[in-house]
Amino acid sequence: FTGATGLTGSIPFAVTQLDAFRFTWPCVSSSSLRRATTTRVIVPSSCTGAIPTELGALTGLTDLIFRDATGLTGTIPSHLGALTGLKYLSFAGATGVTGAVPSQLGALTGLTWLDFTGATGLTGAIPSQLGALTVLKRLEFTGATGLTG
């Protein structure tokens, strides 16, 4: 779609499953993120706006870090549950992220670290599906005062 003008709406998630899928997100210093080869995304604290659902297509990711990204808004996309290669996922200090923890994160059975420390915008019950994360070495909810369970 390079050079296409006048396009509106969002990218259908099915398009993100193409092997050569790339997308640009201004919050990440890389000019483009490639589905199969990007392994680590660290979102800077200066980032603002919603977390793009397209991140769920980066199946090569092992680390996804939103630590102290207080300008992020909206919910955690359920599509992140497709990142089955993830080992490390952190929303620590991402106070603008709101809503429930998606139950789809329970599909991330390779996770060794899941951190919601200080994510005060999250609300609701901690999904029981997180019980499937049997290789976790660290699961942190300290200060995520809106979560229950």
Side-chain angles (χ1 to χ4, degrees), residues 88-115:
Y88 187 97
L89 179 59
S90 177
F91 289 92
T95 56
V97 176
T98 58
V101 174
S103 62
Q104 291 85 348
L105 296 185
L108 303 176
T109 56
L111 273 181
T112 58
W113 188 294
L114 181 58
D115 192 356

Side-chain angles (χ1 to χ4, degrees), residues 25 27 46-52 69-75 96-97:
W25 188 28
C27 291
S46 60
C47 182
T48 60
I51 300 168
T70 57
L72 289 177
T73 58
T75 60
V97 176

